[in-house]
Amino acid sequence: MRQQARRAAVAAGQEASEALAAKLSELKSKADNAAANPRLVFALQGNVDERTLKDLWRTEEWWRPWRTEFKVYALAFTGVRLEVAEGIATNALDVAALIRVVRDRGEAAASLVTGAAGTYAAAATLATVPGRERPVILLLAKPFDAAALRALVDKSGGAVALVDEQKVLLDAGVEGERALLRSAILSASPADARAPLHETPDGSWAASRSPLEGAGSLALWAFASSGASAHDAESVANERKLTLWAVALLVAGVALLLGFRRTHAVAAAPATQRLGGPQLPATLLGNGPLAPHGKPPGGDVELATGHSPTMLSPVSPPLMPRPAPGEINFGRYTLLDRLGEGGMAEVYTAVTFGAEGFRRKFVIKRLRPELARETTMVDQFIDEANLASSMVHSNIVPVFDFGKVGDEYFIAQEYILGRDLARFTRQCLEREGQPAPVSAVLYVASETLKALEYAHTKTSESGQPLGIVHRDVSPTNVLVSARGEVKLFDFGIVKAEGRVTQTQSGVVKGNVTFMAPEQARGTQVDSRADLFSLGLVMYYMLAGHVLYAGATTYELLVRAASGPGPQELKQLQRLPSPCRELLGRALDPLPSERYQSAREFRDAITPHLGAGGAELASMIQRLFAEDFRVEENRFRAAGPLAGSPGGSKEGTPSPRRT
């Protein structure tokens, strides 16, 4: 019940937020059109007469479209406060946060704002006026009431409330749900009132809280109940309990019957059939010690030397251990060191040998043996091999081989001497006492975006877009080579058209600490989810730690599903420029507000690159030069094992080289 309520609340909050964002987005485009109107721009040149400007808004025919829809038109010339306003007093709405967002980003923004005049939906944008040093901010607003809030209820499926700290400004939905929501908001502690998720002890319902950007302390609360699903789950659980009890009683009855029959069979069997296990002392079998040929003096007694058929229990033979790296051949590859394992595969370094001393290094991904008979897992592994082998780009680790050795599937990738970003960042902190420099981080991001742009825009042979989304852009899946090259790898959970295996709706895959909100909720994702993940990777490199903090995976998942909240936004503001501005957009919870493509994100980074590539190459050598020498020596020392070219018998280790 609790899990269902949590999931439903997170989904309801997202639906309500997206519905509100769609409405506000329309306001932004209308504000942009108004700010670009040449007659308004002309009226704002020189010394602006407030009375003339207000008269223009009230009477001019060309302003009619905006006068019809909006009740408030206002201007801010220099700072974040309104200086001219029609429809309200200049201080009647708290719009400073919204105007600040517009000035910082240099583009339009929209949100809900409140004040003495009530609650309004407002959009602010820049109007570039010749002769003025700074753009003028134009703000358009119209009342936002319970009727407007009901449209969000239709999307979320439960009650919705607009809340300022712990004050309920507006709410809509079923009265019972609204009452529960109001009670939870008013009774929460200040810390709980700012938490992304509110849960009830009995798990019957939950509520999510979604902060509104540019709206100060305003947030949307969305109610979701687990009632129907919980009732269904309870019914299923009761049915399962009855079934299990019935099976248990049946098994117990059969066991008693077999035990009774076995006792009688053993009692009636000769001693030679009843004795089993280790050979017993002869004193238990006859009248004295054993004679030299196994017969005790005084009679012929047959000794039981093994288990009788009536006493033997069926025991499965022990599983053969997985061969240790560096001890046997794996097809034409010699496995050297085990790098690690995941839920699907084990990963090894490997070498293959040829004539005249030829050798080549690889990384072998070996499907875990217990998954070899699971069709879905094998299909997913084959999908990964087929897709990855088609990805030919200088910033993507290539796949060269796929096959089977016995019943075991494997993928062979190019071995690249280097370190992933997780180890690189940890080494920066341990060896140099600080995270990676900004220039190096921006270079890593730019090179990774080249790989993502290639993947996102890749087409089939017939020219149809493949719709590839990596879905696991994280520090462990981006490599920096010993020469400072940046490589993206591990397309194991990629989303693409034409794959045999598809992730079901509601199933979450990937690294939870580097997920976009829509991915954490298990909803459909597109290429913009990868850009969000890369933004989190950049933050990790710059700060030396992940953005989201949580004691459990579930807590992290809830935070990831909501996107950066007030605490995370404060952390982002501490970053140096231009990273603060770049990540402010890349990590927007709404996909429509992020960079819309890898190319757009990379174009925003390019002016700030500097000598990041050279600095990264120097750092990777400074931090890992000795480790790289050890690895290279390890490969040089490896020789062909038994059964490989130059080896003897398969499975027999070759002598170690010294």
Side-chain angles (χ1 to χ4, degrees):
M1 289 174 66
R2 281 193 292 271
Q3 290 176 350
Q4 176 65 23
R6 291 166 185 163
R7 286 193 293 265
V10 171
Q14 177 61 19
E15 292 290 345
S17 297
E18 289 181 352
L20 177 60
K23 291 182 176 297
L24 294 175
S25 181
E26 296 176 6
L27 301 188
K28 283 197 298 185
S29 62
K30 292 174 181 178
D32 279 335
N33 291 337
N37 189 293
R39 296 184 181 181
L40 178 65
V41 173
F42 178 77
L44 296 177
Q45 294 180 25
N47 294 322
V48 176
D49 179 74
E50 182 176 348
R51 180 178 298 180
T52 301
L53 190 58
K54 287 185 176 183
D55 184 65
L56 176 154
W57 281 333
R58 292 170 186 163
T59 60
E60 288 293 334
E61 186 65 24
W62 56 267
W63 188 253
R64 180 185 292 277
W66 298 282
R67 186 166 60 237
T68 301
E69 180 169 359
F70 297 95
K71 301 302 180 186
V72 173
Y73 345 110
L75 298 169
F77 291 97
T78 55
V80 294
R81 296 187 180 279
L82 299 179
E83 298 172 51
V84 176
E86 170 66 18
I88 58 168
T90 54
N91 61 350
L93 289 176
D94 184 7
V95 297
L98 179 61
I99 294 176
R100 190 174 293 110
V101 169
V102 175
R103 290 208 183 276
D104 289 345
R105 291 189 178 179
E107 60 183 23
S111 189
L112 300 182
V113 295
T114 62
T119 302
Y120 281 72
T125 191
L126 299 167
T128 303
V129 180
R132 291 189 177 274
E133 294 183 5
R134 300 188 68 184
V136 177
I137 300 292
L138 170 67
L139 182 136
L140 302 178
K142 59 183 179 179
F144 188 87
D145 54 17
L149 199 63
R150 279 195 289 273
L152 308 188
V153 174
D154 295 338
K155 290 291 186 180
S156 69
V160 175
L162 179 65
V163 181
D164 187 0
E165 293 292 352
Q166 289 182 262
K167 179 183 178 183
V168 179
L169 303 177
L170 294 169
D171 61 2
V174 178
E175 178 54 38
E177 295 179 357
R178 292 162 61 191
L180 289 173
L181 205 53
R182 285 195 297 267
S183 175
I185 294 167
L186 294 174
S187 62
S189 67
D192 289 341
R194 291 189 292 272
L197 192 68
H198 174 85
E199 302 179 65
T200 56
D202 63 359
S204 59
W205 66 274
S208 63
R209 176 184 178 274
S210 305
L212 302 182
E213 183 186 28
S217 56
L218 289 185
L220 276 181
W221 283 63
F223 176 98
S225 170
S226 64
S229 297
H231 177 75
D232 294 341
E234 187 175 8
S235 300
V236 171
N238 288 333
E239 291 175 4
R240 288 178 177 172
K241 286 178 184 177
L242 291 174
T243 303
L244 286 172
W245 273 110
V247 172
L249 290 172
L250 178 62
V251 170
V254 172
L256 286 172
L257 178 62
L258 292 177
F260 179 77
R261 294 178 59 187
R262 176 176 157 188
T263 301
H264 279 266
V266 172
T272 56
Q273 292 184 353
R274 294 200 305 270
L275 296 174
Q279 190 152 328
L280 300 178
T283 52
L284 297 180
L285 302 175
N287 298 322
L290 284 173
H293 296 288
K295 292 185 178 181
D300 293 333
V301 179
E302 183 179 357
L303 296 177
T305 57
H307 292 285
S308 77
T310 58
M311 300 293 291
L312 183 62
S313 298
V315 179
S316 301
L319 294 174
M320 294 300 292
R322 295 280 276 180
E327 293 184 358
I328 71 161
N329 296 317
F330 185 69
R332 60 179 174 274
Y333 301 97
T334 298
L335 304 183
L336 297 182
D337 295 306
R338 188 171 181 273
L339 298 179
E341 66 177 293
M344 176 179 281
E346 298 171 326
V347 184
Y348 299 86
T349 55
V351 183
T352 187
F353 301 94
E356 307 300 334
F358 172 85
R359 67 176 62 206
R360 187 165 185 178
K361 298 170 283 188
F362 291 93
V363 171
I364 299 292
K365 289 186 68 172
R366 190 177 180 183
L367 185 65
R368 295 168 65 93
E370 64 269 23
L371 303 180
R373 291 182 177 83
E374 294 188 20
T375 304
T376 301
M377 303 305 290
V378 172
D379 287 344
Q380 185 173 331
F381 200 63
I382 294 171
D383 269 342
E384 178 185 354
N386 286 332
L387 184 64
S389 65
S390 70
M391 310 283 276
V392 182
H393 189 273
S394 59
N395 293 106
I396 295 177
V397 177
V399 168
F400 290 116
D401 193 11
F402 170 76
K404 290 177 71 176
V405 174
D407 293 330
E408 297 187 80
Y409 290 89
F410 73 91
I411 295 173
Q413 296 176 285
E414 179 184 4
Y415 174 84
I416 297 175
L417 185 64
R419 289 293 181 269
D420 63 44
L421 294 183
R423 293 183 66 181
F424 175 80
T425 302
R426 287 198 301 270
Q427 194 79 335
C428 285
L429 294 170
E430 292 172 6
R431 292 276 299 274
E432 304 197 340
Q434 59 185 2
V438 170
S439 59
V441 174
L442 293 179
Y443 179 78
V444 167
S446 177
E447 294 295 291
T448 306
L449 285 165
K450 290 179 183 178
L452 289 174
E453 181 183 359
Y454 169 82
H456 293 165
T457 59
K458 188 173 176 58
T459 60
S460 65
E461 293 181 358
S462 61
Q464 296 298 315
L466 289 176
I468 293 174
V469 185
H470 189 285
R471 295 202 301 178
D472 199 12
V473 178
S474 62
T476 54
N477 286 336
V478 180
L479 182 82
V480 179
S481 79
R483 294 186 294 181
E485 303 158 316
V486 179
K487 307 273 187 178
L488 178 65
F489 63 99
D490 199 351
F491 284 77
I493 62 169
V494 70
K495 171 185 176 290
E497 296 298 326
R499 290 199 67 176
V500 174
T501 56
Q502 297 290 340
T503 301
Q504 298 176 357
S505 178
V507 176
V508 178
K509 289 187 174 184
N511 187 328
V512 66
T513 50
F514 295 95
M515 275 187 189
E518 62 271 24
Q519 185 178 353
R521 292 190 299 270
T523 57
Q524 289 294 319
V525 299
D526 58 26
S527 60
R528 293 172 294 184
D530 284 345
L531 307 186
F532 189 100
S533 295
L534 181 60
L536 290 175
V537 172
M538 293 172 66
Y539 178 84
Y540 172 77
M541 294 185 70
L542 290 163
H545 57 80
V546 296
L547 181 61
Y548 302 122
T552 65
T553 300
Y554 173 73
E555 187 177 338
L556 288 172
L557 187 62
V558 171
R559 286 184 175 274
S562 301
Q567 178 182 344
E568 289 80 20
L569 292 174
K570 287 181 182 178
Q571 294 172 226
L572 291 174
Q573 287 302 311
R574 298 190 190 107
L575 295 176
S577 185
C579 299
R580 178 172 57 247
E581 294 77 19
L582 292 168
L583 296 189
R585 183 173 178 188
L587 297 179
D588 196 295
L590 296 174
S592 60
E593 299 300 311
R594 297 175 206 154
Y595 297 106
Q596 297 300 291
S597 68
R599 168 60 68 87
E600 184 184 2
F601 195 175
R602 187 160 61 88
D603 286 346
I605 291 175
T606 300
H608 311 288
L609 281 178
E615 187 165 14
L616 181 67
S618 173
M619 286 187 68
I620 195 76
Q621 281 296 325
R622 187 167 71 246
L623 296 173
F624 295 102
E626 182 58 32
D627 290 351
F628 292 156
R629 279 193 291 271
V630 171
E631 284 186 34
E632 291 287 79
N633 290 337
R634 173 77 170 112
F635 280 109
R636 281 193 290 268
L641 296 177
S644 63
S648 54
K649 184 179 178 182
E650 176 121 8
T652 304
S654 294
R656 292 274 182 190
R657 294 189 180 186
T658 58

